[in-house]
Amino acid sequence: MNDFVQRLRASPDAAAHAPARSTAFAADFGLLLIRLTFGLLMAGHGAQKVFGLFGGDGLTATGKGFAALGYRPGKVYAAIGGASELLGGLGLALGLFTPLAAAALIGVMINAMATVTGAHGLWETEGGIEYNLCIAVVALAIAAIGPGKLALDRPFRWGKGGWLEAALALFLGGIGAAIVLIL
């Protein structure tokens, strides 16, 4: 403790920066916590669709559900949706290709809102878009903020986040959703 106090006295500038470093680390840790929780849950949701893991129906049953919604062939669209959630979730959890991971989730959520929940209003209790909108906004926010220092994207330009990364995630997610909805 004495050594710490002596260093602070020797360098008053160091004392001024200590809280900022602590806050920055807490922010990076908080962002990691959000990415891991959100990303791994989304990856698990996709794994339910694609592989039938975690009590999911698997690709064949999920494909029948997609076909009932008008997606044909249902199994192909179930694979695309499930893989988007799985890979997008893993990408966000790892902080890897963050804008693309966010775009994958945004695109799936736009499709869910357009085909399933949009007709039921806002609130999830009525079958509305609340849940899908929250997922899309969190994914977009992570693209805008960037994955933080505790991410695999850290050395890359897009690992810093920003308006361009957020716009790219929203644009690619929107284009992907539009293509799926048109087909």
Side-chain angles (χ1 to χ4, degrees):
M1 181 73 168
N2 255 349
D3 184 43
F4 178 73
V5 172
Q6 287 175 352
R7 279 187 279 141
L8 287 180
R9 287 182 183 151
S11 174
D13 193 43
H17 294 297
R21 277 190 233 116
S22 175
T23 302
F25 180 73
D28 284 321
F29 182 78
L31 189 53
L32 174 65
L33 184 61
I34 290 169
R35 285 192 359 256
L36 286 174
T37 303
F38 179 74
L40 292 176
L41 286 172
M42 289 308 304
H45 193 70
Q48 288 177 318
K49 287 181 175 82
V50 177
F51 303 118
L53 297 175
F54 313 117
D57 292 330
L59 198 52
T60 300
T62 303
K64 289 178 184 174
F66 271 63
L69 291 170
Y71 292 99
R72 294 206 173 33
K75 196 170 185 178
V76 170
Y77 284 101
I80 292 169
S84 295
E85 290 173 343
L86 176 65
L87 297 174
L90 288 175
L92 286 185
L94 295 170
L96 181 63
F97 303 118
T98 303
L100 298 179
L105 296 176
I106 290 167
V108 171
M109 293 306 117
I110 290 171
N111 269 280
M113 288 184 275
T115 60
V116 180
T117 61
H120 304 284
L122 176 62
W123 301 112
E124 196 276 329
T125 53
E126 304 297 320
I129 66 169
E130 172 189 4
Y131 177 70
N132 306 119
L133 184 60
C134 287
I135 291 171
V137 168
V138 168
L140 181 60
I142 292 171
I145 295 166
K149 290 181 181 175
L150 304 173
L152 296 177
D153 274 346
R154 184 175 180 202
F156 303 109
R157 164 60 189 104
W158 62 85
K160 311 290 185 269
W163 288 111
L164 181 62
E165 289 75 7
L168 180 67
L170 188 58
F171 177 75
L172 292 177
I175 292 296
I179 291 169
V180 169
L181 289 169
I182 289 169
L183 297 176

